[in-house]
Amino acid sequence: MKRYIILAVLGLSACDSPAEIAAAKQLDEACLKGNIEACAAVQRRVDSRNQTLATTAAGFD
């Protein structure tokens, strides 16, 4: 039962709002155009999501 609760929370937390999606697209585009600060922000976003997934997966033990 614990696994289903964790999966439900993970699924709901993975849903980005339209504003978050638009901001991510803008950062991605700026990074592709060579904006180093935007690339750093993209990397922080990816790292944060990876950490969230790793932390959640650790809860399956």
Side-chain angles (χ1 to χ4, degrees):
M1 184 65 168
K2 180 181 174 184
R3 287 183 181 203
Y4 295 116
I5 292 171
I6 292 171
L7 286 174
V9 169
L10 182 61
L12 290 175
S13 65
C15 299
D16 289 340
S17 71
E20 290 171 322
I21 293 169
K25 285 182 181 179
Q26 286 179 341
L27 279 175
D28 292 344
E29 289 172 8
C31 180
L32 290 173
K33 290 180 181 177
N35 183 326
I36 299 300
E37 291 178 15
C39 291
V42 169
Q43 186 62 49
R44 285 191 301 272
R45 181 181 74 219
V46 171
D47 291 344
S48 174
R49 289 198 180 191
N50 288 343
Q51 182 63 44
T52 300
L53 291 172
T55 303
T56 302
F60 284 124
D61 291 339

